[in-house]
Structure formats: structure tokens, C-alpha cells
Amino acid sequence: MADHPHALLVRKGYDAFVHGDMDTLRSLMSSDATHHVPGSHPLSGDFKGQDAIIDMYGRLFTQTNGTLRVELRTILVDGRGHAVTLHHVTAERDGKSIDEPGGIVFRILGDKITDLDECVEDIDRANEFWS
């Protein structure tokens, strides 16, 4: 069975992210998209607009000296503008490491991602790693 268009869109976004292709990522998001990152660390919060989101992604790679790896595990869609992913994240930063599952709830309007709600397995661990 063929992938749903929303699954294809999200898969293309993950592929662009892991390859550092920020131009493609930008093309997949609405201009006013928002990425919500849980926690209370310097990279948590609401990043509104393509520029803010792309800047935050760049900071993820910079602060981990390029060690950040995200492996997409599954995509679930509802056919009504929502997609949910499960992925696995590994990274090293300032002598610390992280190795855990996570996910994102995507909202899609037409052929653009409008909202990304990130979820982590352990908010305290994420706060400690990114602080």
C-alpha cells in the first residue's frame, strides 16, 4: 500500500533534517509554522516562523558538535491533517550523552507542516542534557 501524502511529507522532512538540508525543510513548512519543544532548557519553548525553527535546528547541530542523530521509526496518520512520529535520538554534548525515543505530533494544512509538537521520553533528562 502506498504511503499517505502526509506520511510522505513528514518522511521527506526527517530525511532533510538528518542531512542538514534546511532549504528543503523550509519548503515543507508554512511561513508561520511553530515548533514546540518541551522542557525548561535553553532550546525549549515555542519557535514560531521558518527562520526561528531553522535557527533552532542549527543550534541543535552546533551544540552537539554534529553528533545529533535522529532515526525515524514510524509514522502514523489520520488523513485529516495530523501525523505522529516515533523516532530515536542520540547525541553528545559537553561530556553528556542522550540516547532515547521521542516523537513529534505534526499538523498539516494542504501540503505544508503548520505545527510540530515535540515529545520526549524524559523531560528531566532532556533538560539536563540541553542545559
Side-chain angles (χ1 to χ4, degrees):
M1 180 156 61
D3 279 338
H4 187 276
H6 293 162
L8 293 172
L9 176 69
V10 169
R11 188 175 310 282
K12 186 175 182 179
Y14 268 83
D15 186 59
F17 180 85
V18 301
H19 290 98
D21 184 352
M22 298 302 143
D23 289 335
T24 295
L25 277 173
R26 190 179 295 274
S27 76
L28 302 176
M29 293 183 277
S30 65
S31 62
D32 62 347
T34 303
H35 189 137
H36 309 275
V37 179
S40 58
H41 54 82
L43 288 173
S44 65
D46 298 328
F47 299 86
K48 183 148 180 76
Q50 291 176 353
D51 291 341
I53 294 169
I54 297 299
D55 178 66
M56 183 264 292
Y57 292 166
R59 291 170 56 202
L60 294 173
F61 287 107
T62 300
Q63 290 196 16
T64 61
N65 292 317
T67 64
L68 178 67
R69 300 286 181 264
V70 179
E71 179 187 335
L72 179 61
R73 298 280 170 94
T74 196
I75 304 171
L76 307 172
V77 298
D78 69 356
R80 298 178 293 114
H82 300 93
V84 177
T85 62
L86 297 175
H87 57 247
H88 195 86
V89 176
T90 59
E92 296 177 9
R93 179 177 181 275
D94 297 335
K96 302 177 274 190
S97 64
I98 196 161
D99 183 346
E100 69 179 31
I104 300 176
V105 178
F106 291 84
R107 284 169 193 78
I108 300 164
L109 186 58
D111 63 349
K112 297 288 185 186
I113 297 166
T114 62
D115 204 67
L116 303 91
D117 280 314
E118 190 170 333
C119 299
V120 297
E121 180 179 63
D122 186 326
I123 289 177
D124 292 333
R125 185 171 31 211
N127 286 334
E128 193 276 325
F129 179 76
W130 292 107
S131 293

